[in-house]
Amino acid sequence: MLLQSGITENEIIQGFIEAINLIVSLDPTVVEITLRSLTVSLSATFFASLMALPLGALIYFKEFRGKRGVINTLQTLYAMPTVIIGLLAFLLLSRNGPFGFLGLLFTPSGMIVAQTILIVPLITGLTVAAMSNIDREMRYTIISMGASMVQSIWTVLREVRFAIFTAVLIGFGRAIAEVGTVLLVGGNIRGYTRVLTTAISLNTSMGNFTLSIALGIILLGVALLVNVALNLVQQR
Amino acid sequence: MTDLITARGVSKAYGDLQVLEGIDLDVHEGEILGIIGPSGSGKSTLLRLLDLVESPTSGEITVLGVNTQSESRSLELRRRMGMLFQKPIVFNTSVYQNVALGLQYRRLDRRETDRRVRDALEAVGLSQYIKSQARDLSGGEQQRVALSRVLVTQPEVLFLDEPTANLDPTSTATIERIVRAMNQEHGMTVVMNTHDLLQGQRLSNRIAVMIEGRIAQVGAPREVFQSPRSRAIASFVGIENILRGRILSKGDDLTEVEVNGQTILSKRVVTDGTDDVDVLIRGEDIDLLREEPPDHPRNVFPGMITSIESNGPHVGMKVDCGGFSLMVRMTARLAAEREFDTDMPAYVAFRPRVVHVLPAEMLQE
């Protein structure tokens, strides 16, 4: 029987079997795309965390005008369409853009930059939320113990480390699963900027379902791992 | 005696909420200063300002000889003081790490940190829990961890914000014992908030009373409890009999005050020239007798016992004396010996020196 898109049921089952084969036999293309996806998204998560954690702590600690507005904006950015961030990063990094001179467009580094921009608001916002669980008395305690500003931030971050770890994992989850920014900024160049999501997108449109399914299973696996890790952390 | 901390005209507001207003207060070196007052009177806020955890909205605070308006030295000064909060606060880590944290902030070397943490935990009797998770301890134990975390930094001034509220009697006694020892043996200056009047009296050399964001009175505990300067302070320090009266005559020794047609004699009168006064008498300063005392003090009134309430070892009896009622407090044993009962006639008797007369406050709580 023919499905609407022109694939037979048989083909799907066949695709699954072959996909498992590709994974089990460690097919070079599959391995290479998976590793690149992990490298790009882990790097982006690393750099984003490096910025977002202190920034979140600072927003939490400092009383300033428009603080509520900043937090609302961050929360709005959680749901920012990835293609819009991709477009923004594309414009910034393109040859005539302000950062064109760096030559990052259509490179893995450019993709890292784009994903970093994408998840900084998410991790920052979740960090502020995590820290809001610290009550006022604990803040007073830390200050009265003679902590400097930096020491205060460090102590609070350590106190909410499990919630922070959750924020970082959620950030990674958003980075590895998104297709919009990596497609626009990376350009999906085979062997260079092709990652799991862009490869699935391309191979599906070319009717190359076997590879798509294999990469899809891997992506699901990564998501599953992140979820397992989240559950472990949240049980602490 | 030097002043370690002085506050001059200190006010604090959170948005529209004025919490402190025009506070003038000195903390003397080596004393235990108790701050008492109803909850919501601003005691905790005042401690946080003095400990430089927060800044005042206006006014000046000088700490250890340094005017703190320039914030540059605030961290250094904060590190010479310590504060224990009402709620036991421990960090989500081991007991050892909890106590070591303040020393790590001060970048003390590891060996010295280790030694001092062990000593501090020994002092509060928690050595056996050194490796435990602080959150696994009971509330009283957590508060002792918090206390050792403060003491380990050897503060020159120790602030205690209701340190034993919600604690069991044993933990309370331990904390009081340590605080007293720190003060007497190490000369540590202590500023303590409490709503527990007995604790305030037990520990303090001086007491400041806070009412509605202002310091209403400062003095020796005896002075504050025996001679409150206003009706609000009187009712806060547990004076149950506050009667409205009018001065009839002022003698060298005794003053006659008319209260609803009856005359009460007083030896302790403070007036501002007006004749409208408040008459304050502590319930425990009044005696209650079955018969008119033959060798009686100067104030004796016949009355009727209208109610008797038992409060453990003590009994409170309300006596209607015609123009006014008085609450009389005595030991349950004495009350039982005299076989008092409700609706029984009896005589109240009290000496003029226990009758405290103040200018009447027009504004009543």
Side-chain angles (χ1 to χ4, degrees):
Chain A
M1 187 187 131
L2 226 59
L3 291 180
Q4 276 183 333
S5 54
I7 323 161
T8 62
E9 272 176 29
N10 203 23
E11 252 184 290
I12 295 179
I13 294 162
Q14 202 58 41
F16 257 107
I17 294 167
E18 281 179 38
I20 305 269
N21 250 331
L22 285 176
I23 297 169
V24 174
S25 67
L26 295 175
D27 175 79
T29 316
V30 171
V31 169
E32 179 234 272
I33 292 175
T34 305
L35 285 181
R36 181 167 313 110
S37 228
L38 287 173
T39 313
V40 167
S41 295
L42 282 173
S43 307
T45 308
F46 173 76
F47 291 119
S49 302
L50 220 54
M51 286 181 261
L53 300 190
L55 188 65
L58 211 63
I59 292 172
Y60 167 75
F61 263 100
K62 283 277 177 200
E63 292 302 328
F64 55 89
R65 272 176 98 83
K67 178 168 174 165
R68 197 64 251 165
V70 169
I71 294 172
N72 285 338
T73 309
L74 284 173
Q75 285 167 350
T76 309
L77 289 177
Y78 292 1
M80 189 69 144
T82 56
V83 283
I84 294 189
I85 301 286
L87 175 64
L88 177 78
F90 184 94
L91 293 174
L92 289 173
L93 298 177
S94 64
R95 190 181 296 257
N96 297 321
F99 298 103
F101 65 93
L102 294 171
L104 288 179
L105 198 61
F106 305 131
T107 66
S109 303
M111 293 154 72
I112 293 173
V113 170
Q115 286 201 336
T116 302
I117 298 173
L118 178 72
I119 62 175
V120 158
L122 182 64
I123 301 180
T124 307
L126 292 176
T127 300
V128 177
M131 294 182 118
S132 304
N133 291 326
I134 293 275
D135 60 14
R136 229 173 36 161
E137 301 252 316
M138 181 168 278
R139 270 172 76 175
Y140 292 148
T141 301
I142 293 169
I143 298 170
S144 79
M145 283 170 69
S148 64
M149 190 70 191
V150 174
Q151 286 168 336
S152 301
I153 291 176
W154 176 242
T155 305
V156 171
L157 280 176
R158 207 177 48 183
E159 190 61 20
V160 294
R161 55 195 177 276
F162 298 122
I164 297 279
F165 192 50
T166 302
V168 170
L169 278 177
I170 291 175
F172 173 70
R174 177 153 160 89
I176 193 124
E178 69 89 24
V179 64
T181 69
V182 281
L183 188 62
L184 285 179
V185 175
N188 200 17
I189 302 164
R190 182 162 47 138
Y192 187 48
T193 60
R194 184 161 300 171
V195 290
L196 287 169
T197 51
T198 55
I200 291 170
S201 160
L202 181 71
N203 284 296
T204 305
S205 62
M206 296 195 321
N208 193 358
F209 303 117
T210 310
L211 190 54
S212 279
I213 293 171
L215 298 174
I217 290 171
I218 290 172
L219 194 53
L220 266 178
V222 173
L224 189 70
L225 275 179
V226 168
N227 255 308
V228 169
L230 272 176
N231 269 318
L232 286 177
V233 170
Q234 276 161 357
Q235 278 164 16
R236 294 295 297 261
Chain B
M1 206 178 312
T2 25
D3 290 337
L4 280 191
I5 300 177
T6 59
R8 289 290 171 269
V10 167
S11 299
K12 178 73 178 175
Y14 297 98
D16 293 336
L17 184 69
Q18 188 75 35
V19 180
L20 297 178
E21 221 173 329
I23 300 278
D24 290 327
L25 186 68
D26 301 317
V27 180
H28 304 159
E29 186 170 358
E31 74 171 342
I32 298 184
L33 172 64
I35 301 176
I36 60 173
S39 41
S41 58
K43 304 187 297 288
S44 302
T45 307
L46 177 60
L47 280 207
R48 289 198 299 273
L49 295 187
L50 298 180
D51 191 29
L52 307 182
V53 171
E54 290 187 286
S55 320
T57 313
S58 63
E60 263 182 45
I61 297 175
T62 305
V63 173
L64 302 160
V66 182
N67 187 321
T68 57
Q69 270 183 324
S70 61
E71 290 223 352
S72 54
R73 292 186 62 191
S74 153
L75 179 63
E76 175 209 323
L77 292 172
R78 254 191 291 129
R79 288 185 174 171
R80 292 167 64 186
M81 306 189 285
M83 182 150 165
L84 181 65
F85 293 83
Q86 173 175 2
K87 202 167 115 191
I89 301 246
V90 292
F91 298 102
N92 192 4
T93 171
S94 69
V95 168
Y96 180 95
Q97 266 307 313
N98 261 277
V99 180
L101 192 57
L103 299 177
Q104 288 161 356
Y105 287 157
R106 290 161 178 77
R107 307 204 184 288
L108 215 72
D109 74 63
R110 249 200 152 100
R111 278 234 326 259
E112 179 66 8
T113 300
D114 198 60
R115 190 184 66 75
R116 273 162 70 167
V117 170
R118 283 169 199 284
D119 284 354
L121 282 171
E122 176 91 46
V124 297
L126 289 178
S127 294
Q128 72 272 33
Y129 295 125
I130 192 160
K131 286 183 182 146
S132 307
Q133 282 295 307
R135 291 267 161 91
D136 292 343
L137 303 184
S138 74
E141 287 162 344
Q142 290 188 7
Q143 189 66 322
R144 274 146 71 194
V145 169
L147 178 62
S148 67
R149 191 174 57 203
V150 177
L151 296 179
V152 79
T153 61
Q154 302 173 348
E156 290 164 59
V157 187
L158 174 63
F159 295 97
L160 306 166
D161 187 8
E162 302 266 7
T164 60
N166 326 318
L167 288 195
D168 59 284
T170 317
S171 296
T172 302
T174 309
I175 286 179
E176 286 188 8
R177 177 175 53 74
I178 294 166
V179 168
R180 202 180 275 123
M182 283 294 146
N183 174 257
Q184 286 169 1
E185 290 158 27
H186 302 274
M188 192 180 284
T189 305
V190 179
V191 183
M192 179 182 67
N193 277 350
T194 181
H195 66 266
D196 178 350
L197 299 177
L198 291 175
Q199 185 175 56
Q201 265 177 308
R202 240 184 347 254
L203 292 177
S204 314
N205 307 118
R206 282 198 312 147
I207 282 191
V209 188
M210 282 197 77
I211 309 267
E212 291 178 352
R214 293 167 185 275
I215 301 272
Q217 187 169 359
V218 188
R222 204 188 135 73
E223 187 187 325
V224 171
F225 283 94
Q226 298 298 327
S227 314
R229 213 188 278 155
S230 74
R231 194 184 171 105
I233 302 171
S235 88
F236 179 71
V237 299
I239 297 181
E240 289 160 300
N241 301 302
I242 304 179
L243 310 169
R244 181 48 65 87
R246 217 182 146 71
I247 290 182
L248 290 178
S249 74
K250 256 189 201 166
D252 289 341
D253 190 31
L254 291 175
T255 298
E256 289 184 325
V257 183
E258 183 249 302
V259 177
N260 271 352
Q262 308 224 47
T263 307
I264 293 178
L265 297 173
S266 169
K267 263 189 175 179
R268 286 160 58 207
V269 180
V270 181
T271 55
D272 58 358
T274 63
D275 287 342
D276 289 319
V277 289
D278 283 328
V279 177
L280 318 176
I281 313 164
R282 284 195 162 270
E284 56 270 31
D285 287 337
I286 304 175
D287 200 6
L288 189 64
L289 302 146
R290 295 285 295 270
E291 278 152 30
E292 185 163 9
D295 175 25
H296 61 77
R298 306 296 278 274
N299 292 304
V300 176
F301 302 95
M304 184 73 84
I305 301 173
T306 54
S307 69
I308 299 181
E309 60 173 69
S310 176
N311 180 15
H314 294 94
V315 174
M317 287 171 288
K318 196 98 184 161
V319 182
D320 184 355
C321 303
F324 51 84
S325 307
L326 291 173
M327 175 61 90
V328 181
R329 296 233 172 247
M330 64 171 62
T331 61
R333 179 186 299 218
L334 189 57
E337 266 174 27
R338 294 182 184 172
E339 297 176 335
F340 288 123
D341 207 344
T342 44
D343 298 326
M344 181 185 273
Y347 290 87
V348 293
F350 48 94
R351 294 173 193 287
R353 67 173 171 77
V354 304
V355 180
H356 193 63
V357 175
L358 290 175
E361 279 169 43
M362 300 321 285
L363 279 172
Q364 304 277 307
E365 270 79 16

